[in-house]
Amino acid sequence: MTSSASPKKATISPLVTFQSPEEARAWRTVNDDVMGGRSLGGSVVEAGQLVFTGLINTNGGGFSSVRRQLEPGALEGGRALVLSVKSDGRAYRLIAQTDARFRGRYVSYQAPIPVSEVGEWATVRIPLSDFAPTVFGRSVPASEFVPAQVTELGVIIADNVDGNFAIAVRSISVER
């Protein structure tokens, strides 16, 4: 007699929602001015969503990001992050920070946020296996991404295109 084990059904648990005023204070902005760039960006939490907007200037830089701390182990056992987003069609990425370093610099693990129809809410899934190590936006041969070690999560735009940007996020959940 053969037994067939059914695959474990995925569960989706909220990680970040934008329902409280405290959530607005949890997010911080990091723009390219930390290295002499001229891009502008920032976020507000309103109507149950994080709205991240600004202007990318590739002369001397070219990125803007918003980030928040996570509780240790928040992504442990996770397979993917699931976001509810409305974007402008530009290329955004999720960034995850651990204590990993490469040649003395902190590694930022990044994964693309799938582009959805402009101006429409979409649910997108980003497998945690898609996160790749980078330093200053360049791929590096650093240690493997360990979701359980993530201490910070964020959204970055660094698509080498000058101009305005806007993305809204209603929720970030973990698929386990």
Side-chain angles (χ1 to χ4, degrees):
M1 174 178 211
T2 60
S3 69
S4 121
S6 59
K8 186 177 178 186
K9 184 168 174 103
T11 60
I12 308 228
S13 309
L15 179 65
V16 180
T17 60
F18 301 96
Q19 302 304 317
S20 73
E22 293 79 34
E23 191 59 37
R25 290 186 292 278
W27 292 83
R28 68 184 174 91
T29 302
V30 179
N31 291 324
D32 57 13
D33 60 347
V34 297
M35 52 190 273
R38 300 179 191 154
S39 297
L40 303 171
S43 66
V44 296
V45 173
E46 60 186 18
Q49 60 190 326
L50 173 83
V51 181
F52 172 37
T53 59
L55 174 71
I56 295 298
N57 181 335
T58 57
N59 183 12
F63 78 87
S64 181
S65 67
V66 288
R67 307 161 190 224
R68 81 176 309 282
Q69 295 293 309
L70 290 182
E71 291 296 318
L75 299 184
E76 188 160 3
R79 291 190 254 174
L81 291 171
V82 179
L83 284 69
S84 175
V85 297
K86 179 170 56 170
S87 88
D88 55 8
R90 291 185 69 168
Y92 296 87
R93 290 177 282 175
L94 278 182
I95 51 176
Q97 195 77 41
T98 68
D99 63 357
R101 290 178 176 255
F102 176 77
R103 296 186 179 162
R105 303 229 183 244
Y106 279 106
V107 173
S108 175
Y109 294 90
Q110 299 188 13
I113 297 174
V115 177
S116 55
E117 190 169 334
V118 174
E120 298 293 325
W121 284 104
T123 299
V124 298
R125 180 180 183 275
I126 299 131
L128 294 178
S129 60
D130 285 0
F131 279 83
T134 67
V135 172
F136 296 127
R138 292 183 175 82
S139 294
V140 295
S143 59
E144 183 178 326
F145 179 61
V146 180
Q149 295 177 357
V150 172
T151 57
E152 185 176 79
L153 190 67
V155 176
I156 188 168
I157 181 166
D159 61 357
N160 295 316
V161 177
D162 288 321
N164 294 318
F165 67 87
I167 187 170
V169 181
R170 280 198 294 217
S171 64
I172 303 172
S173 300
V174 181
E175 176 187 300
R176 291 186 168 88

